[in-house]
Amino acid sequence: QLQLVESGGGQVQPGGSLRLSCAASGSFSVVSTMAWYRQCPGKERELIAVISSDDTTNYADSVKGRFTISRDNGKINLYLEMLSLKSEDTAVYFCNVDYIKNGRKFVSWGQGTQVTVSS
C-alpha cells in the first residue's frame, strides 16, 4: 500500500495563498494519475485537480485559473498551489493516487489537511 501524507494546510485570509504537499512512501510499479480532492463543510468530496502520467492537467471550474497541480515523478510527491483563495475554498483537502503494483491496480488516499479561508 502506498502511504500518502498531506501537509501545508492552515488558515489564510481571502485573497491569500497556500501550497499543499502530498508525500508518498511505499512500493509501487507505476503511478498513473494523481489528484487533489476536497470536501467542503456539509458537501460531498469533489475532484478539483488531476494530473496524469504525461503531466496533462485538468481542473474543476471552481478552481481553474487559481490552483495549479504539479508532481515530482522522481519522488512521487504531489503539490497544489492555491492562489486568490476564497471563503468557499474552505475544506479538507485530500490527495489521491492511482498506481499499479504487481500487475494490480490500487488507489490510495491521504488523511486530509484542513484549509480555512477566513478574515
Side-chain angles (χ1 to χ4, degrees), residues 27-70:
S27 62
F28 64 97
S29 299
V30 177
V31 171
S32 53
T33 59
M34 305 177 79
W36 286 97
Y37 287 72
R38 71 182 182 188
Q39 188 163 15
C40 301
K43 296 185 178 181
E44 294 185 353
R45 191 174 299 188
E46 62 172 339
L47 174 64
I48 57 169
V50 60
I51 184 166
S52 61
S53 56
D54 64 357
D55 289 334
T56 300
T57 58
N58 281 288
Y59 299 91
D61 288 343
S62 58
V63 306
K64 195 174 296 183
R66 300 186 298 122
F67 291 10
T68 302
I69 187 172
S70 61

Side-chain angles (χ1 to χ4, degrees), residues 1-6 21-37 45 47 49-53 69-73 75-79 93-101 104-111:
Q1 185 78 4
L2 206 59
Q3 286 79 44
L4 304 176
V5 179
E6 299 99 336
S21 298
C22 175
S25 61
S27 62
F28 64 97
S29 299
V30 177
V31 171
S32 53
T33 59
M34 305 177 79
W36 286 97
Y37 287 72
R45 191 174 299 188
L47 174 64
V50 60
I51 184 166
S52 61
S53 56
I69 187 172
S70 61
R71 62 192 286 176
D72 178 347
N73 280 322
K75 297 181 179 180
I76 57 169
N77 292 328
L78 183 67
Y79 307 98
Y93 285 72
F94 301 88
C95 63
N96 166 280
V97 175
D98 292 343
Y99 66 101
I100 297 172
K101 180 179 178 180
R104 295 178 58 193
K105 295 182 179 180
F106 294 87
V107 178
S108 283
W109 289 89
Q111 82 290 348

